[in-house]
């Protein structure tokens, strides 16, 4: 998917396919345990960051690079891929610590929702995170996604730790209705 993804621009960001050359920028934040605390893949070493860039530069990739237009720097990546069939896609986000809290994840996600419900004609977009990660579920709620489930201890980590999981979703109709101007309020 990532290789065939055509770049999308937002007011402050460019979303484009990951390239092999991106690995050092990705490694800077994916080697930071404060960033990866709630990511199933955990902290990446250099070889794993290279493998991540290689995989996502190819057809099997699920990550899209987020470039800050003002600095031309890679400041994070979005996860975006079909979820048990084309009609539903999963969306996710990682933004480097120095660029968090500026609305970048929300801005990048809006562009992907436009793409999902527009060009891709998706029916539904879903996202998951842990209850202990309010920065992530705040993004879901700012996007208008609905919390559909709270799974208790549904994910077991290699460490043996069990994670609860929030499950959010948004339907194409809901996205279009939320964006439509209000007629005769
Ligand atoms: C989740 C993440 C991508 C958000 O990126 P971001 O660019 O900072 O997101 P935004 O600025 O668009 O929105 C974040 C929102 O969360 C809120 N938030 C951040 N930390 C919070 C906290 N501890 N408690 C409550 N709300 C919090 C922010 O205030 C903001 O909401 P606001 O605009 O209403 O103020 C970023 O924190 C990150 O990369 N975290 C590490 C990786 C990760 O956990 N990814 C998600 C895996 S499911």
């Amino acid at each position: 998917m990532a290789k065939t993804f055509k770049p999308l621009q937002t007011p402050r960001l460019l979303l484009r396919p990951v390239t092999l050359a991106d690995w050092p920028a990705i490694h800077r934040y994916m080697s930071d345990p404060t960033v990866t605390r709630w990511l199933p893949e955990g902290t990446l070493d250099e070889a794993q960051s290279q493998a991540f860039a290689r995989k996502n530069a190819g057809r099997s990739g699920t990550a899209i690079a987020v470039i800050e237009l003002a600095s031309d720097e890679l400041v994070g990546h979005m996860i975006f891929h079909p979820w048990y069939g084309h009609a539903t896609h999963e969306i996710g986000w990682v933004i480097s610590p120095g660029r968090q809290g500026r609305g970048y994840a929300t801005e990048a996600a809006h562009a992907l929702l436009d793409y999902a419900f527009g060009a891709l004609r998706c029916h539904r977009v879903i996202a998951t995170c842990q209850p202990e990660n309010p920065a992530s579920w705040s993004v879901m709620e700012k996007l208008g996604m609905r919390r559909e489930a709270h799974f208790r201890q549904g994910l077991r980590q290699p460490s043996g730790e069990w994670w609860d999981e929030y499950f959010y979703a948004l339907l194409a109709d809901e996205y279009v209705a939320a964006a439509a101007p209000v007629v005769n309020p």
Side-chain angles (χ1 to χ4, degrees):
M1 193 288 297
K3 197 170 188 177
T4 55
F5 175 80
K6 295 212 169 51
L8 297 174
Q9 193 166 325
T10 72
R12 297 178 295 170
L13 306 169
L14 174 73
L15 276 59
R16 61 144 175 82
V18 169
T19 68
L20 280 178
D22 289 330
W23 83 262
I26 292 169
H27 183 65
R28 268 192 284 282
Y29 60 84
M30 287 300 288
S31 57
D32 178 344
T34 66
V35 172
T36 61
R37 170 69 181 95
W38 299 110
L39 302 181
E41 60 268 47
T43 301
L44 304 188
D45 61 23
E46 286 198 359
Q48 289 168 322
S49 295
Q50 288 166 7
F52 178 93
R54 195 175 308 115
K55 176 182 168 211
N56 285 293
R59 282 195 179 273
S60 61
T62 57
I64 294 164
V66 178
I67 311 299
E68 182 179 52
L69 291 172
S71 63
D72 199 28
E73 287 175 22
L74 187 152
V75 296
H77 64 266
M78 302 296 283
I79 298 296
F80 187 68
H81 59 94
W83 197 79
Y84 299 113
H86 174 84
T88 299
H89 271 57
E90 179 171 17
I91 191 169
W93 30 69
V94 182
I95 298 291
S96 64
R99 301 311 211 288
Q100 291 176 7
R102 301 179 185 193
Y104 281 178
T106 307
E107 185 169 319
H110 263 301
L112 285 179
L113 291 179
D114 281 346
Y115 174 60
F117 292 130
L120 290 186
R121 299 193 171 278
C122 288
H123 183 63
R124 189 170 148 88
V125 172
I126 65 114
T128 70
C129 71
Q130 299 76 11
E132 298 88 347
N133 193 355
S136 189
W137 55 257
S138 295
V139 173
M140 296 171 198
E141 297 195 349
K142 286 196 290 178
L143 293 169
M145 301 183 84
R146 174 175 11 82
R147 187 184 298 168
E148 293 188 338
H150 178 170
F151 297 115
R152 304 283 179 188
Q153 301 194 0
L155 295 170
R156 187 156 202 200
Q157 298 311 295
S159 63
E161 182 186 16
W162 285 99
W163 281 354
D164 281 12
E165 189 180 33
Y166 279 167
F167 189 103
Y168 279 74
L170 184 64
L171 296 173
D173 286 354
E174 295 168 332
Y175 188 65
V176 170
V182 178
V183 180
N184 298 326

